[in-house]
Amino acid sequence: MSQDKVKEYKCPNCGGALTFDAAEQKMVCAHCYGKFSMDELNLVAKTEGKDTSEENNWSDYHTGKEVEGMKMYVCPSCGGEIVGDETVAATQCPYCGNPTIVSKQLSGMNAPDGIIPFTKKKEDAIAALKEFYRGKFLLPKIFKSANKIEKIQGVYVPFWLFDCQADGSIRYDATRTHSWSSGDTDYVRTDHYLIIREGKVDFSKIPVDGSKKMDDEFMDSIEPFDYNKLSEFKDAYLSGYLANKYDVNAEDCLPRVNERVRTSLSEAFASTVIGYVSRVPRSSN
């Protein structure tokens, strides 16, 4: 039987559960409507002399056992059992609805370096989805049912970020044509060219999702990410959302990274070969 910590953030005013509010960019209490920034939570914890070694670690509980690859935790608020797989890092109690965070999943080597906090609320997502539905009369009713829409929930996905410098060269067979007429005869002349491109390209923060549960093509489709909003990781940002720790190692992501770099480098070179009727790669490195 394993022992894991389950953490929840409590309001310093009334003791209610705190969740991260994307619009306010603060922790908000659903009971007294108190609002607290991350710095304010740290200050309260220090003033009350409580352990802040794990980011406002106000409510830690040792719980849990593994059953056939699943783990069971005890909700620190109502005592109900929370069941999840081995990668669950943040979830909600199915009985009382309070958000819980599994501290062990996000500590040590599993601790993320940064996080891009949500900036859209659930209501924004629902409004965007309903707008997407508009005019699509053939969608099944169950797909648009209110009970399905209300289950929309924000999910944090773990990503690996890669930096590299790529060297490359590529040769193209290209053609240009020139046509003219003389008397009753039409002429077309085709000129053939050998085009050579080579150089270096720096890549920074190439994202690759580290979760087997998330479809890679879907994750690629929501790029680019705004790295200007990348903040120091605090597990309080996860309160009220779903999250899993990574279950795909960085080394296992390298084939996808290398393929993306090769494709991007080829596209960068190809964008400089203009003014030709045809352009066919002959060889590349």
Side-chain angles (χ1 to χ4, degrees):
M1 181 179 297
S2 62
Q3 298 292 325
D4 293 313
K5 288 184 176 182
V6 176
K7 177 191 294 186
E8 65 174 1
Y9 284 86
K10 294 290 190 181
C11 175
N13 292 336
C14 71
L18 291 176
T19 58
F20 177 71
D21 188 286
E24 297 284 348
Q25 291 293 295
K26 291 183 176 182
M27 299 292 283
V28 176
C29 176
H31 299 279
C32 70
Y33 304 105
K35 301 176 182 179
F36 309 91
S37 67
M38 300 299 173
D39 291 338
E40 288 171 335
L41 288 182
N42 283 329
L43 180 60
V44 170
K46 290 179 181 179
T47 302
E48 295 183 0
K50 297 183 178 180
D51 179 15
T52 58
S53 61
E54 292 190 62
E55 298 293 339
N56 307 311
N57 193 5
W58 294 342
S59 302
D60 283 345
Y61 300 84
H62 293 280
T63 63
K65 58 184 178 181
E66 295 183 16
V67 179
E68 297 180 354
M70 304 296 288
K71 286 194 174 183
M72 299 177 64
Y73 307 96
V74 176
C75 175
S77 292
C78 71
E81 285 190 341
I82 304 171
V83 180
D85 62 28
E86 295 179 331
T87 65
V88 168
T91 185
Q92 288 183 325
C93 175
Y95 301 100
C96 67
N98 277 359
T100 57
I101 300 170
V102 184
S103 306
K104 179 183 178 181
Q105 305 284 46
L106 303 168
S107 61
M109 295 297 293
N110 293 332
D113 294 318
I115 187 172
I116 300 179
F118 272 91
T119 57
K120 298 291 186 180
K121 301 182 67 173
K122 178 179 179 178
E123 292 75 14
D124 299 323
I126 291 176
L129 185 60
K130 288 183 177 179
E131 180 62 28
F132 176 75
Y133 288 160
R134 191 185 303 275
K136 294 179 172 61
F137 303 107
L138 298 181
L139 282 176
K141 290 183 178 180
I142 191 173
F143 197 69
K144 299 186 292 183
S145 64
N147 63 325
K148 295 291 184 181
I149 293 177
E150 289 301 320
K151 292 180 180 179
I152 287 178
Q153 191 164 17
V155 179
Y156 281 102
V157 179
F159 275 82
W160 295 103
L161 302 180
F162 295 84
D163 299 339
C164 75
Q165 183 183 78
D167 300 321
S169 64
I170 188 168
R171 296 187 175 200
Y172 302 92
D173 289 322
T175 61
R176 284 176 177 163
T177 59
H178 177 65
S179 60
W180 71 96
S181 299
S182 178
D184 295 332
T185 305
D186 296 329
Y187 298 90
V188 177
R189 186 186 74 201
T190 301
D191 298 323
H192 295 266
Y193 299 87
L194 173 63
I195 310 296
I196 301 174
R197 293 289 186 268
E198 60 183 16
K200 298 180 178 180
V201 177
D202 291 323
F203 293 88
S204 177
K205 295 185 176 65
I206 303 172
V208 179
D209 70 275
S211 174
K212 295 178 181 178
K213 297 180 179 65
M214 309 307 295
D215 181 82
D216 292 338
E217 292 186 4
F218 175 73
M219 290 291 98
D220 292 345
S221 71
I222 62 177
E223 295 178 24
F225 301 115
D226 188 355
Y227 291 126
N228 291 324
K229 296 179 180 178
L230 190 63
S231 303
E232 177 186 359
F233 177 77
K234 291 182 173 63
D235 61 13
Y237 286 117
L238 307 182
S239 186
Y241 296 86
L242 301 180
N244 292 75
K245 74 170 185 177
Y246 70 88
D247 54 4
V248 179
N249 293 324
E251 293 77 10
D252 295 332
C253 295
L254 287 178
R256 289 193 63 215
V257 176
N258 290 333
E259 182 58 32
R260 293 189 67 174
V261 169
R262 280 192 293 268
T263 301
S264 297
L265 192 58
S266 296
E267 291 175 350
F269 287 154
S271 67
T272 68
V273 183
I274 56 177
Y276 298 91
V277 174
S278 66
R279 179 196 65 205
V280 180
R282 173 190 290 188
S283 62
S284 63
N285 180 26

